[in-house]
Amino acid sequence: MTATTTTTSLDLTDPATFVTHDPLPFWREVRRHHPVYWHPGTEGRPGFWVVAGYHDIQQIYTDADTFGSARGTVLDVLLHNDDSAGGRMLAVSDRPRHRQLRTLMQRAFSPRVLHDVAEKVRHRTVRLIEHAAQSGTLDFAADVADHIPIHTICDLLAVPEHDRRQLLEWNKQTLSAPTPDADPSVAVQARSEIVLYFIDLAEERRASPGDDVISMLATGQVGDSVLDSEDVALNCYSLILGGDESSRMSAITTVRALADNREQWHALRDGHLSSATAVAELLRWATPAMHFARTATHDATIGGQQIRAGDIVTLWNTSANNDDSVFVEPHTLTLDRNPNKHMAFGHGPHFCVGSYLGRATLHALLDALVSTVHEIELAGDPVRIYSNFLYGYRSLPVRLHPAA
């Protein structure tokens, strides 16, 4: 493809674009020729800016006053309307509300709470991988990955065990679809169900608080008042969405990457590489959230392009994390890559509040694989999810050969 057709022929609003095209060559050409360009509107929806270069994206993430989040941070939401949770949910709020909500959330994420949850993740993951290694061929997405992140975030929120399967099913419907012809109202209904569920739970915890995150959010001060139950629910929705969907996609993509890069897997398995550096590289490699979006609050210049107040600006993490001006041979999996300043968790004031658990979940997976598995073999064709926001797989047939 020429530079011109590369930047104008692919519709970034269409999930099919990311299933039928390899995004990495596309982003390489965009960074080379049009690192900041205007994507025209389609079907009555507004156009938006596409930002592909690492340093330009980092600049926008850092400048939260010029590039706001309160209208929404996911392209599909912004193209339809402003996010209804704007100013109420941490991810879609601006200063000073964002700082107040983040302070409360960080108090709720105490070291003791995080340590306890991380220990549960480690034990649960070992059990799942040990069982998987004795099972022959399995679908890693359904049989393993579906059971790790959802329990991690539900442990953090103290969600009853009997409700977790339903939450997982709702959560899987919110940001992706199984097929191109899926009914979009299913995603809307799933989001509503999750929020309604957490409203009920917030009211229960407010009446009888424990030491879990929901209780802390429901009883903690934000400015001069406590959060109402709907605001607590919206922030729980944000946590479960990020904590489950992103970590699940990272886990599935990690196993695919290790199967495809056996020399790297053998070096990790045999103790020649650090799990910590491997986690960072696999997060860069996976980059489950392909983009985040911002809205310009006033005129600004990025990459030589004049951006007007009110313009939607999309920041493509997938491109930033494969920018060869920052990462040497970015398309080669390098588990000992150092430094590795990836932006899988974003950057700046909105850096992912759950990043510790995201790393802990992937670390637990690697440790379990290393201690239990000798070889990782693909046993069928992976099936991509259908989304213009999340990158990953909804099915990954594999065979995990147990260690002797």
Side-chain angles (χ1 to χ4, degrees):
M1 282 187 294
T2 67
T4 301
T5 57
T6 296
T7 56
T8 60
S9 64
L10 294 187
D11 180 2
L12 301 185
T13 70
D14 184 358
T17 295
F18 302 94
V19 176
T20 58
H21 294 81
D22 180 353
L24 297 184
F26 165 73
W27 288 120
R28 183 172 58 244
E29 290 300 302
V30 171
R31 289 192 305 273
R32 183 178 300 162
H33 299 287
H34 302 283
V36 180
Y37 75 91
W38 180 255
H39 188 294
T42 56
E43 299 179 359
R45 299 174 188 170
F48 54 91
W49 290 100
V50 174
V51 184
Y54 181 97
H55 295 293
D56 287 336
I57 290 173
Q58 186 180 59
Q59 177 185 343
I60 294 171
Y61 274 137
T62 302
D63 189 358
D65 292 329
T66 303
F67 299 96
S69 300
R71 284 191 58 208
T73 58
V74 175
L75 179 59
D76 191 53
V77 174
L78 278 168
L79 293 182
H80 288 86
N81 213 331
D82 291 1
D83 196 312
S84 60
R88 306 170 68 190
M89 188 167 73
L90 178 66
V92 288
S93 60
D94 294 325
R95 296 169 179 163
R97 185 66 169 177
H98 177 265
R99 184 180 289 113
Q100 295 170 337
L101 287 169
R102 192 174 183 91
T103 298
L104 175 61
M105 199 79 76
Q106 288 174 327
R107 285 202 301 267
F109 283 31
S110 69
R112 180 187 61 79
V113 168
L114 292 176
H115 178 268
D116 290 348
V117 172
E119 279 298 296
K120 291 178 181 178
V121 172
R122 189 171 63 82
H123 292 300
R124 184 180 292 115
T125 305
V126 167
R127 290 196 303 270
L128 283 165
I129 295 299
E130 286 178 347
H131 178 74
Q134 301 300 326
S135 300
T137 300
L138 70 151
D139 184 343
F140 186 84
D143 298 328
V144 180
D146 274 6
H147 303 282
I148 301 176
I150 189 65
H151 285 289
T152 303
I153 198 66
C154 285
D155 286 342
L156 185 71
L157 300 174
V159 171
E161 288 277 352
H162 56 77
D163 293 337
R164 297 182 179 190
R165 169 54 59 179
Q166 181 61 73
L167 276 174
L168 173 64
E169 293 309 312
W170 285 332
N171 210 32
K172 289 166 72 173
Q173 295 167 357
T174 56
L175 292 175
S176 63
T179 60
D181 57 354
D183 183 352
S185 69
V186 171
V188 175
Q189 182 64 30
R191 292 174 195 135
S192 297
E193 294 288 358
I194 293 173
V195 172
L196 288 171
Y197 173 82
F198 280 115
I199 287 175
D200 289 342
L201 210 52
E203 291 174 351
E204 289 178 17
R205 302 288 167 82
R206 199 190 306 278
S208 181
D211 60 358
D212 58 278
V213 168
I214 295 179
S215 295
M216 295 179 199
L217 293 178
T219 58
Q221 289 285 128
V222 178
D224 297 328
S225 61
V226 296
L227 291 177
D228 65 32
S229 294
E230 187 172 349
D231 285 9
V232 173
L234 288 169
N235 283 283
C236 290
Y237 165 76
S238 180
L239 287 172
I240 202 165
L241 194 65
D244 174 51
E245 285 285 88
S246 295
S247 292
R248 189 155 43 85
M249 292 301 107
S250 294
I252 299 166
T253 304
T254 284
V255 170
R256 168 80 195 266
L258 296 177
D260 287 342
N261 296 271
R262 290 194 175 188
E263 288 186 5
Q264 290 289 292
W265 159 240
H266 292 167
L268 179 66
R269 180 197 65 191
D270 297 341
H272 302 311
L273 298 174
S274 158
S275 290
T277 58
V279 165
E281 175 67 350
L282 289 162
L283 285 168
R284 182 194 72 85
W285 189 264
T287 313
M290 289 190 287
H291 77 265
F292 284 113
R294 299 290 188 263
T295 301
T297 58
H298 52 263
D299 293 356
T301 301
I302 296 291
Q305 297 287 352
Q306 184 67 32
I307 294 171
R308 302 295 182 187
D311 285 354
I312 298 169
V313 183
T314 56
L315 316 177
W316 290 86
N317 304 318
T318 301
S319 179
N321 283 344
N322 286 277
D323 190 332
D324 56 12
S325 72
V326 176
F327 302 99
V328 177
E329 297 184 3
H331 301 161
T332 300
L333 184 72
T334 308
L335 295 183
D336 60 352
R337 186 182 298 276
N338 188 29
N340 192 340
K341 297 182 178 181
H342 66 81
M343 288 194 278
F345 292 123
H347 183 78
H350 280 264
F351 184 78
C352 177
V353 72
S355 61
Y356 173 87
L357 284 181
R359 292 190 191 95
T361 300
L362 200 53
H363 209 301
L365 174 61
L366 293 185
D367 286 349
L369 289 170
V370 165
S371 65
T372 307
V373 174
H374 182 68
E375 290 291 357
I376 304 170
E377 177 187 359
L378 291 180
D381 293 330
V383 180
R384 288 280 312 283
I385 60 169
Y386 190 75
S387 174
N388 72 340
F389 176 69
L390 288 172
Y391 184 90
Y393 304 89
R394 62 183 176 90
S395 178
L396 184 70
V398 296
R399 187 173 294 108
L400 303 181
H401 297 274

